[in-house]
């Protein structure tokens, strides 16, 4: 297939210009010192649309050096009014580039353009993070504390950590940039951002807009490359004071180990296998649409917080599954640059094969494939598309236990509230969850017992004002809200003797 069979993609690719194979270090957009690149493959049609810089230790060194100079050269000690104003100008500029950034995000990730534009994962959300944390620049600064029995007082100072490495996943580059960079900058850190090697166009443009907004050179640097060649030297670099990481749980474990020698601060936002619990008194149609949407809409299940297990009371199982199947039928993947498209491709051929392998494994372990389970052909054959899939299974099969990162929903029956809670918590992960019920007492009772960092009742939402993050194998630390400030700062206590 050529791009001409996906007409929206063909015209989008003809009209997009982006920094192919570049890094942004010390205010300069240039090629990597390594001189090496990796192919940037667009998952919508399998074509190479550009290259990504393949940075190594020398590039890491240059970026960390630039961030350190910017930190010591004024950013850390800038008066809060100037820093607040710069961040607000930056937020406005990001929001004004909504269209361009959304297209770059789709180019990087295959995210359907309607979702790339949308508030949840689009440029407006990144702008909202920056605006929200700009508002905290002069508020999250410390507190006055009483001391006794003598005369005196005590205060705390919230201080930046220094240079923060922000390492991000490929699936939502614009959101992840805002969620990490905004709180880091607000408290006076400078950053080296390492987006995924899969696509870096949106991240580079976001960092370039910071320069256009007047944020000094070196405050935000972007380097790209493979985990072992670029990510690892960044994590272990003596000039990096903290690491904020979003990605897979296995990579998160490596990062924690690499950071152990220097004891630098680490925040880990990792994978999930969240449950949506559907009680018999719920609005079953709404619960079914929510579950189907979480795994089939937009990122095709390639989202960390997707509730990929639906725990359904046995008395409503059939009705629930029927709703899921009919909702999934509306969400057949198509050309991600077509504004009408609701679901996109998987990120790579390898990932598609991996997801199909999970369906086969489930079948072999006794799961029933209720719908879907196949790769899509025809016009979509050269891209990486698969049918949204519903499996009827127990909580013990491999697809119900492991993070698949594809459009596969496991429907799992339960018989009472205790069993539902036990199954919801019977997972190594603890990131998100949904409770569907009309019973107010039950909703809050169950919310308190689900072991996860976030939970929704009859819906699910993440935004700049609320804390998002995990427990167990989903990591630790929080993004969003004033609580994230703690992850990017240290608290100094100052005692004043007045006697
Ligand atoms: P990944 O772990 O393969 O890569 C993430 C980042 O880590 C990339 O930039 C990669 O280059 C880098 N990296 C890889 N190996 C490294 C190493 N040894 N040292 C340093 N850096 C290294 O993850 P991915 O495939 O890009 O993203 C998918 C995963 O991300 C899923 O598990 C998903 O659940 C998770 N995720 C979590 C959240 C969250 O907020 N909890 C959000 C989005 C995605």
């Amino acid at each position: 297939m050529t791009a001409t069979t996906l007409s929206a993609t063909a015209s989008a690719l003809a009209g997009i210009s982006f920094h192919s194979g570049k890094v942004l270090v010390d205010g300069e957009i240039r090629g990597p010192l390594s001189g090496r690149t990796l192919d940037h493959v667009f998952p919508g049609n399998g074509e190479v649309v550009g290259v990504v810089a393949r940075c190594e230790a020398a590039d890491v060194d240059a970026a960390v050096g630039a961030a350190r100079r910017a930190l010591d050269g004024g950013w850390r000690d800038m008066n809060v009014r100037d820093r607040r104003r710069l961040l607000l100008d930056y937020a406005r500029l990001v929001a004004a580039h909504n269209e361009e950034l959304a297209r770059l995000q789709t180019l990087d990730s295959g995210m359907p353009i309607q979702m790339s534009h949308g508030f949840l994962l689009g440029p407006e959300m990144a702008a909202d993070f920056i605006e929200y944390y700009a508002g905290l620049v002069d508020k999250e600064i410390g507190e006055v504390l009483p001391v006794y029995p003598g005369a005196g007082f005590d205060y705390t100072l919230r201080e930046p950590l220094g240079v923060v490495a922000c390492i991000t996943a490929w699936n939502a580059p614009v959101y992840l940039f805002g969620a990490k960079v905004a709180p880091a900058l607000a408290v006076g850190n400078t950053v080296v951002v390492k987006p995924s090697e899969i696509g870096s166009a949106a991240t580079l443009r976001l960092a370039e807009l910071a320069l256009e907004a007047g944020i000094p050179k070196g405050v935000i640097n972007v380097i790209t490359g493979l985990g072992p060649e670029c990510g690892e030297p960044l994590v272990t670099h003596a000039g990096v004071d903290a690491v904020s990481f979003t990605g897979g749980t296995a990579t998160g474990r490596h990062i924690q180990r690499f950071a152990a020698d220097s004891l630098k601060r680490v925040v880990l936002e990792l994978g999930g296998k969240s449950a949506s619990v559907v009680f018999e008194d719920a609005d079953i149609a709404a619960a079914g649409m929510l579950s189907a949407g979480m795994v089939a809409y937009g990122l095709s299940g390639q989202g960390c917080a997707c509730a990929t297990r639906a725990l359904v009371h046995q008395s409503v199982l059939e009705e629930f599954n029927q709703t899921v199947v009919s909702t999934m039928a509306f969400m057949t993947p198509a050309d991600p640059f077509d504004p009408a498209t609701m679901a996109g491709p998987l990120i790579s051929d390898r990932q598609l094969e991996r997801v199909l392998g999970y369906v086969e494994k489930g079948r072999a372990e006794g799961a029933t494939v209720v719908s879907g389970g196949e790769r899509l052909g025809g016009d979509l054959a050269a891209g990486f598309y698969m049918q949204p899939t519903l499996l009827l299974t127990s909580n013990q099969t491999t697809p119900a236990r492991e993070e698949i990162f594809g459009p596969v929903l496991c429907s799992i029956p339960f018989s009472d509230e205790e069993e539902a809670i036990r199954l919801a918590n019977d997972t190594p992960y603890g990131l998100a969850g949904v409770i569907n019920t009309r019973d107010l007492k039950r909703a809050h009772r169950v919310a308190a017992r689900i072991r996860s960092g976030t939970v929704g009742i009859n819906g699910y939402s993440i935004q700049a004002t609320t804390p998002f993050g995990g427990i167990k194998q989903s990591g630790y630390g929080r993004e969003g809200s004033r609580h994230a400030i703690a992850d990017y700062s240290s608290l100094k206590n100052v005692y004043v003797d007045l006697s």
Side-chain angles (χ1 to χ4, degrees), residues 7 30 36 51-52 154 200 329 376 476:
S7 58
R30 56 162 175 78
R36 302 171 78 196
V51 289
V52 172
D154 192 290
S200 57
L376 289 165
Y476 50 83

Side-chain angles (χ1 to χ4, degrees), residues 166-172 175-176 180 194-198 224-235 243 245-252 254-255 258 268-272 302-305 347 351 403 405 429 431 462 468-470 474-475 479:
C166 301
I167 302 180
T168 57
W170 59 266
N171 66 337
Y175 170 96
L176 294 173
K180 291 189 186 308
K194 197 209 89 60
S196 167
E197 61 274 20
I198 289 173
T224 57
L226 299 172
E229 290 175 3
C230 176
E232 212 172 300
L234 181 60
V235 172
V243 180
F245 172 77
T246 294
T249 296
T251 316
H254 282 305
I255 286 183
F258 299 146
L268 298 174
E269 301 286 350
L270 309 177
Q302 301 170 109
C304 54
I347 193 62
Q351 176 61 5
E403 184 185 51
F405 234 50
Y429 296 102
L431 191 56
I462 304 172
F468 175 77
S474 296
E479 286 182 340

Side-chain angles (χ1 to χ4, degrees), residues 120-141:
L120 179 63
L121 295 180
E124 277 189 57
M125 180 56 102
D128 206 50
F129 270 112
I130 300 166
E131 192 179 304
Y132 175 81
Y133 285 104
L136 293 184
V137 162
D138 50 5
K139 295 172 191 70
E140 291 291 317
I141 51 174

Side-chain angles (χ1 to χ4, degrees), residues 19 22-29 87 90 93-94 97 100-101 104 108 126 130 166 173-174 177-178 181 185 191-195 200-224:
H19 296 301
K22 302 284 195 244
V23 298
L24 195 164
V25 174
D26 214 6
E28 197 193 341
I29 297 212
L87 289 174
Y90 184 26
L93 206 58
V94 168
H97 286 75
E100 180 193 2
L101 289 165
L104 294 177
D108 284 342
I130 300 166
C166 301
V174 169
F177 181 97
V181 171
L185 262 46
V191 297
V192 176
V193 185
K194 197 209 89 60
S200 57
T203 308
L204 278 162
R205 186 70 182 120
L206 277 162
E208 188 180 34
L209 287 173
L211 293 170
E212 290 175 24
I215 292 181
K217 68 176 189 173
V219 170
I220 304 177
N221 305 275
V222 178
I223 52 172
T224 57

